[in-house]
Amino acid sequence: MSVYPVVLSQTTFTHRDNLTYPFEERGLQFGDGIYEVIRVYNGRCYLLHEHIDRLFRSADAIKLALPFSKQDIIHLLQELLEKNDMANDGIIYLQATRGSARRTHAFPKGDVQANVYAYVQDLPRNLENLTNGVCAITYPDVRWEYCYIKSLNLLPNVLAKQAASEKGCYEAILHKDGEVTECSSANVFMVKSGKIYTFPATKRILHGCVRMRVKAFSQELSIPFIENSFTLEDISHADEIFLSSTTSEIMPVIRVDQTQIGDGSPGPITRKLQKAYEQDANITEKTIEQLS
Ligand code: PDD
């Protein structure tokens, strides 16, 4: 648990019990802000620079001036981990909004500073799911055209994930007219005849930090990585399906709606990528290889 969240806007660390947040706040009232979720293993951040780079890309895209340099934020996050004696596996949640101001749609006038805060939370790896695989539903992608921005506007994602949860599933695979884009909170990949397919990194999906690593691992392993979209119809003939995200890592999918994927257990290419991930993240204990 994060005892000391950090209110980065004021560069102060505040005990969670003393934290107050104004109700006229652009993030709360308009979803006018952006966020990042950063993985922590044994108290150390994984892919930190990639997340901070994306944070600044999202900020530029919504014309939000962050009152920090990338280096300032990195130092503050390190301090956050130290202040909370974070030595476990967990996440950092970081959010930046257009600040607190009287409610009106256009950007607030005058000297309104962004509100930026971050906190840490314990999150053990979900080894059971990573080892055995999960099921997913398919669900229409009704989101806007700028899904590359890691925006706080997550209502379509929330509704999709809830629909999955009500069916006892882990994720919702989103599609527009049958063309698969990504998931409610992960990227999605199909393996067919030894090749990996995934939606290209356009404005229509989030450019996942783990997706970027999956691409690099595939190249290192000489597995063709094809950034072409696939369809719901393709899923029914897929050899393997897997997801990637900060919290899901590389997650095998063994059933989509009523369709069993492959032989109903995690496939060999997914396993190779999981192994590459664990090596990249310096995970040496309780690895999926040891458990599966
Ligand atoms: N979600 N696509 C969407 C829509 C996401 O929300 C996420 C991450 C990803 C994967 O991105 P990354 O590999 O950088 O985590 C793809 C985070 C974990 C969340 O909202 O909790």
Side-chain angles (χ1 to χ4, degrees):
M1 190 175 74
S2 189
V3 176
Y4 290 102
V6 56
V7 182
L8 291 176
S9 342
Q10 293 143 29
T11 326
T12 53
F13 289 85
T14 310
H15 193 283
R16 57 186 296 139
D17 295 343
N18 301 330
L19 201 61
T20 55
Y21 217 62
F23 65 90
E24 278 194 306
E25 206 280 334
R26 303 281 304 181
L28 292 178
Q29 293 189 321
F30 296 106
D32 186 2
I34 52 175
Y35 74 104
E36 280 297 327
V37 182
I38 302 160
R39 197 61 163 117
V40 176
Y41 292 119
N42 293 322
R44 299 231 307 270
C45 290
Y46 178 53
L47 305 180
L48 177 58
H49 290 267
E50 288 80 351
H51 284 283
I52 300 304
D53 285 349
R54 187 173 61 192
L55 179 75
F56 276 77
R57 286 201 305 274
S58 295
D60 276 354
I62 69 161
K63 304 188 172 98
L64 173 66
L66 291 173
F68 300 103
S69 69
K70 290 183 182 177
Q71 211 47 46
D72 291 339
I73 295 194
I74 287 169
H75 283 143
L76 283 162
L77 295 182
Q78 301 293 6
E79 210 180 329
L80 174 70
L81 292 174
E82 282 160 29
K83 276 226 180 267
N84 286 280
D85 291 324
M86 183 64 177
N88 304 335
D89 293 347
I91 54 153
I92 294 177
Y93 179 81
L94 187 159
Q95 174 176 301
T97 77
R98 210 178 304 278
S100 313
R102 189 190 163 99
R103 185 183 182 278
T104 177
H105 283 64
F107 295 177
K109 294 203 173 62
D111 189 22
V112 178
Q113 279 262 316
N115 286 330
V116 189
Y117 73 71
Y119 60 89
V120 291
Q121 206 167 56
D122 283 344
L123 184 73
R125 301 180 68 211
N126 196 331
L127 284 167
E128 196 184 321
N129 284 345
L130 287 166
T131 308
N132 300 328
V134 296
C135 51
I137 61 163
T138 55
Y139 197 83
D141 188 348
V142 297
R143 301 173 304 159
W144 69 334
E145 301 282 329
Y146 294 156
C147 294
Y148 72 104
I149 302 171
K150 204 158 170 59
S151 139
L152 294 178
N153 293 274
L154 290 174
L155 195 48
N157 310 58
V158 167
L159 294 177
K161 187 78 114 188
Q162 178 61 18
S165 168
E166 284 171 11
K167 293 240 162 77
C169 285
Y170 181 83
E171 250 298 7
I173 297 178
L174 304 179
H175 68 93
K176 273 209 170 116
D177 301 323
E179 183 185 34
V180 172
T181 48
E182 59 178 333
C183 293
S184 75
S185 65
N187 293 112
V188 62
F189 307 76
M190 177 184 78
V191 178
K192 182 73 188 164
S193 307
K195 298 181 179 134
I196 299 172
Y197 295 83
T198 196
F199 198 89
T202 65
K203 290 188 171 175
R204 288 178 54 197
I205 62 162
L206 188 76
H207 302 185
C209 295
V210 182
R211 179 190 184 281
M212 222 179 346
R213 297 309 296 146
V214 169
K215 184 174 177 177
F217 301 151
S218 308
Q219 282 158 355
E220 284 156 24
L221 293 162
S222 304
I223 303 167
F225 186 87
I226 300 167
E227 291 178 86
N228 275 343
S229 61
F230 57 91
T231 65
L232 293 182
E233 172 64 20
D234 293 329
I235 290 181
S236 48
H237 310 292
D239 298 330
E240 300 176 38
I241 300 282
F242 64 89
L243 318 174
S244 78
S245 86
T246 296
T247 46
S248 296
E249 302 185 3
I250 294 173
M251 181 66 77
V253 177
I254 54 170
R255 184 164 59 78
V256 177
D257 295 329
Q258 304 312 320
T259 306
Q260 174 182 294
I261 305 300
D263 68 1
S265 62
I269 289 188
T270 309
R271 282 284 189 248
K272 277 189 194 166
L273 293 168
Q274 287 181 312
K275 190 174 168 188
Y277 179 96
E278 288 182 332
Q279 283 169 353
D280 198 52
N282 265 322
I283 298 166
T284 50
E285 282 170 34
K286 291 202 195 146
T287 63
I288 297 158
E289 202 174 23
Q290 286 158 9
L291 297 172
S292 57

